[in-house]
Amino acid sequence: MSRRTLLHRATVQEGLGVASRPHHSVLLDGERIVAVLPEAQAPLHDPDVDVLDLDGRTVMPGMTLGHTHIAYLNVLDGRETLFKHSIPEVTLGAAANAAAMLRLGYTAFVGAGSVAGIDMALRRAIDAGRLPGPRITPCSRDLMVSGPPQRRNPAVKQRIPTDLMRLADTPEELVEYVDTEVAQGAEIIKVFSTGDDTFPNGRSHELLFTAEELVIAARAAHERGVRIRAHSRGLGGIRNAIAAGVDVIDHATYADDAALEAIAERGIFVVPSLHQPHRLLTTGTAHGKTPEYLETLEFQAEVENTLRILPLMVEMGIPIVAGDDFGFAWTPHGRYAEELETYVSMAGIPAPTVLTWATANGARLAGRGGEAGTVQPGRLADLVVTDGDPARDITVLGRPEAIEMVLLGGRVVAGDAAAYRDRRPAGRGRLMRPATRARIGLTGSAGIGHNRWRRRFVRSGRPCEPNRRG
């Protein structure tokens, strides 16, 4: 028989872009949500239901990080993403990042370039129960070229170990590498339609893959049943990525209105980049970047255009997903919620809308759009319990202590369900929560958590002692 759990007296944030619903309960049966109902209708007296009294805490969908480099460990530039640490070191770091991500309410991530194929190995270990972590949509290693078409240099390929990154300067190599990555478990392929002002082989406005190479890569991915995402900052590369039929455009920082219209028409996901370049520009000197170096970047223009296009993308219905190059020194792993805060504070996007980027849209990008990402009957019970309503105050998600419990497929994987469990028999008073005891002046070593035979219960708002049980 599957287990049934009632998350009772909750504020429910459904992940649908609207305000949260107070005074509701969520009923789980095994790994699924079976009902979201007013708390007065909750099956409190069903002996087969484990009641967790949340006392107004918020239940929201587990979040998905849509652009994840799980093996980046406080790197400073593109070279360090490959060579700062040994493969054993980045593997251990990736495992630690994945476990911490789950504790912070991220129940899934979508890879965006997997150093040495760690995404695939980590997915297998987590699925087998050998390691704790979120659900993973693993990405290929970066499929890169040595430089823009006019500056291709075969010698570069000799300096990059193939197991770290795939450099493909011919169509045949592209198809071969897509084959290899899919065989190893990749479910999304990463390519580069443009460079990046921080890259050694091409700046943001420069093309890296040609339009024809993007078409070849996209066709190869789709023929093998996987998706493809393109790093695309400059407008020319964004247009090429759209025309090639990619599924995800990463960054899109120089997109114009016509490009956005084409993206909306095709239903392409966009994972924008605002937080990471903003953090680099404002805190880069604290991480060894000189003012002169920062002045060579055109990231301020990218930030300004991203601020312009974000409201337009919302208005056009473009599926936006959160996730912005965490793993750099200025955007370390574990600080994911700061990106959501940036969208609210800098771009003025309402918090309920931003939450959909991390929940409903993130689940769609991960390939579980009909399975997860919202608090609705039939969905996976990948859920987060927070002390505070993120739809009213997005900063709640940035306080680790406010992430009180995380469920993955209905199982508590972070936090302590016992803190909310109502152990009363039918008709008994309710176990008084520690916060309530403190508020009415009931403290001391005889209280809850100190002596299990001297629990205080509450009936009709007054403390009373239960019968002792030997």
Side-chain angles (χ1 to χ4, degrees), residues 110 137 186-190 217-218 221-222 224-229 246-248 269 362-368:
V110 182
T137 303
E187 295 180 2
I188 191 165
I189 301 297
K190 175 69 175 288
H222 292 153
R224 289 151 183 80
V226 302
R227 289 182 289 179
I228 185 168
R229 67 190 309 160
V246 303
D247 304 286
V248 187
F269 289 95
R364 287 178 57 199
L365 176 59
R368 286 182 288 276

Side-chain angles (χ1 to χ4, degrees), residues 7-61:
L7 304 178
H8 186 45
R9 295 203 308 146
T11 298
V12 177
Q13 169 47 231
E14 298 164 293
L16 299 174
V18 296
S20 303
R21 301 164 64 188
H23 309 300
H24 275 68
S25 296
V26 181
L27 182 62
L28 316 179
D29 191 345
E31 67 174 10
R32 299 278 170 178
I33 300 167
V34 294
V36 180
L37 65 170
E39 63 184 41
Q41 300 175 17
L44 282 177
H45 303 296
D46 187 332
D48 296 324
V49 174
D50 184 17
V51 178
L52 304 183
D53 185 351
L54 300 188
D55 194 18
R57 282 160 174 76
T58 298
V59 176
M60 63 172 285

Side-chain angles (χ1 to χ4, degrees), residues 108-349:
F109 79 71
V110 182
S114 173
V115 176
I118 287 173
D119 277 13
M120 291 84 96
L122 191 57
R123 156 80 174 270
R124 290 190 291 270
I126 290 172
D127 286 357
R130 297 195 299 271
L131 292 173
R135 304 181 194 272
I136 297 176
T137 303
C139 188
S140 68
R141 296 164 180 82
D142 287 340
L143 268 62
M144 180 58 87
V145 290
S146 58
Q150 68 276 17
R151 297 203 307 271
R152 296 284 170 88
N153 180 2
V156 173
K157 186 175 181 179
Q158 307 307 312
R159 299 197 293 268
I160 307 294
T162 301
D163 194 45
L164 297 181
M165 173 188 285
R166 310 292 197 188
L167 258 71
D169 282 337
T170 69
E172 293 77 16
E173 287 177 321
L174 269 177
V175 174
E176 175 190 345
Y177 288 152
V178 170
D179 272 338
T180 301
E181 296 298 311
V182 173
Q184 292 184 13
E187 295 180 2
I188 191 165
I189 301 297
K190 175 69 175 288
V191 295
F192 293 78
S193 71
T194 74
D196 187 299
D197 282 358
T198 64
F199 283 5
N201 61 336
R203 291 179 67 88
S204 294
H205 282 295
E206 292 186 291
L207 300 180
L208 286 182
F209 280 53
T210 66
E212 295 75 19
E213 288 167 338
L214 287 173
V215 168
I216 291 167
R219 183 187 303 126
H222 292 153
E223 286 177 351
R224 289 151 183 80
V226 302
R227 289 182 289 179
I228 185 168
R229 67 190 309 160
H231 170 107
S232 306
R233 290 191 179 272
L235 181 57
I238 293 169
R239 290 171 174 165
N240 286 347
I242 295 167
V246 303
D247 304 286
V248 187
I249 292 180
D250 288 311
H251 313 308
T253 43
Y254 283 114
D256 62 8
D257 291 8
L260 296 182
E261 290 170 3
I263 288 168
E265 180 182 346
R266 291 163 174 78
I268 299 171
F269 289 95
V270 173
V271 185
S273 188
L274 175 63
H275 182 68
Q276 195 272 138
H278 172 69
R279 290 285 298 171
L280 173 57
L281 292 175
T282 56
T283 70
T285 54
H287 301 285
K289 301 297 184 183
T290 65
E292 293 75 19
Y293 168 78
L294 295 175
E295 288 177 5
T296 68
L297 306 178
E298 296 181 9
F299 272 9
Q300 186 57 43
E302 298 193 31
V303 166
E304 291 170 0
N305 195 57
T306 299
L307 290 171
R308 183 189 74 83
I309 65 176
L310 280 170
L312 295 177
M313 289 196 287
V314 172
E315 185 178 324
M316 292 178 178
I318 291 171
I320 302 171
V321 181
D324 195 0
D325 273 336
F326 287 92
F328 284 89
W330 43 91
T331 49
H333 280 285
R335 306 278 284 275
Y336 315 115
E338 291 181 358
E339 179 195 8
L340 308 182
E341 295 176 27
T342 298
Y343 288 130
V344 174
S345 63
M346 279 189 69
I349 308 298

